[in-house]
């Protein structure tokens, strides 16, 4: 079995979204302290649950991104895009209702929108070969 890299431009963009998701998950899983600091969070002393949650979330991202890369199917890319759409929607809710109007939230909102748009634009045929 050989590594599959897409030949169509649109699928390459969807692939990049999945690869970024898997890479972010890998970093969150194996370097939770750095990931939490990057997000402006911290685990309390003597309470390993914060690191456990960061690792768990990283494992989910890694698994989802790796599955999208390995399976390379439209439905998987659609699920990836829909998940990031919901994450962006949740970020908007946080900005509006949690008084979270800061640069980090806006930056992560842009990242979520980009990670949602790449696979969804491919799946819905906006990128033609």
């Amino acid at each position: 079995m050989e590594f599959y890299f897409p030949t169509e431009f649109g699928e390459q963009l969807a692939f990049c979204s999945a690869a970024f998701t898997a890479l972010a998950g890998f970093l969150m899983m194996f370097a939770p302290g750095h990931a939490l600091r990057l997000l402006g969070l911290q685990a309390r002393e003597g309470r390993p649950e914060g690191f456990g949650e960061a690792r768990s979330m990283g494992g989910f991202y890694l698994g989802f991104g790796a599955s999208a890369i390995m399976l390379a199917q439209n439905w998987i890319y659609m699920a990836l895009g829909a998940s990031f759409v919901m994450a962006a929607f949740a970020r908007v809710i946080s900005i509006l209702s949690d008084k979270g109007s800061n640069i980090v939230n806006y930056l992560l909102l842009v990242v979520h929108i980009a990670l949602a748009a790449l696979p969804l634009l491919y799946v819905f045929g906006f990128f033609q070969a």
Side-chain angles (χ1 to χ4, degrees), residues 47-129:
R47 301 289 308 254
E49 294 88 1
F51 289 115
E53 187 61 32
R55 287 186 197 276
S56 176
M57 187 170 47
F60 181 80
Y61 277 26
L62 177 59
F64 200 178
S67 295
I69 289 170
M70 289 186 289
L71 297 174
Q73 299 292 314
N74 284 352
W75 284 103
I76 302 296
Y77 287 137
M78 188 180 302
L80 183 67
S83 297
F84 277 114
V85 165
M86 292 311 297
F89 180 64
R91 181 83 47 190
V92 169
I93 291 172
S94 175
I95 289 170
L96 295 176
S97 64
D98 301 335
K99 298 180 183 161
S101 183
N102 59 40
I103 191 71
V104 173
N105 267 341
Y106 286 116
L107 181 63
L108 289 172
L109 176 62
V110 170
V111 169
H112 284 148
I113 290 171
L115 289 173
L118 294 176
L120 290 178
L121 289 174
Y122 166 68
V123 168
F124 291 118
F126 285 95
F127 293 114
Q128 300 299 322

